[in-house]
């Protein structure tokens, strides 16, 4: 049972998230031989004020 964790910044549409999990599921199934119904994808969305790059919060970027 493959489990895939994806961390991303919040803000994507429901359609984008649906497409993402479908594409990831397809790729994992294809490359591992696991049936799609056994592939688990966990999305963790972060607020922009909870993620930084180079010491700058994404919420502070212009």
């Amino acid at each position: 049972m493959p489990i895939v964790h994806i961390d991303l910044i919040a803000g994507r549409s429901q359609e984008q998230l649906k497409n993402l999990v479908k594409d990831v599921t397809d790729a994992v199934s294809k490359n591992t031989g696991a049936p799609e119904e056994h592939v688990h994808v966990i999305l963790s969305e972060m607020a922009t004020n909870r993620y930084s790059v180079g010491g700058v919060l994404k919420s502070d970027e212009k």
Side-chain angles (χ1 to χ4, degrees):
M1 166 179 69
I3 300 172
V4 180
H5 294 261
I6 301 174
D7 296 315
L8 55 135
I9 296 174
R12 285 155 183 93
S13 70
Q14 189 68 17
E15 186 70 22
Q16 288 174 311
L17 296 174
K18 285 180 182 182
N19 291 336
L20 174 62
V21 298
K22 178 62 175 142
D23 290 348
V24 169
T25 299
D26 290 345
V28 170
S29 179
K30 173 185 171 189
N31 289 287
T32 66
E36 288 186 358
E37 60 271 14
H38 292 171
V39 177
H40 297 241
V41 179
I42 300 168
L43 301 177
S44 298
E45 292 186 299
M46 297 170 280
T48 57
N49 65 349
R50 297 292 187 258
Y51 182 79
S52 73
V53 175
V56 178
L57 289 170
K58 296 302 274 182
S59 59
D60 291 339
E61 290 183 345
K62 297 180 182 184

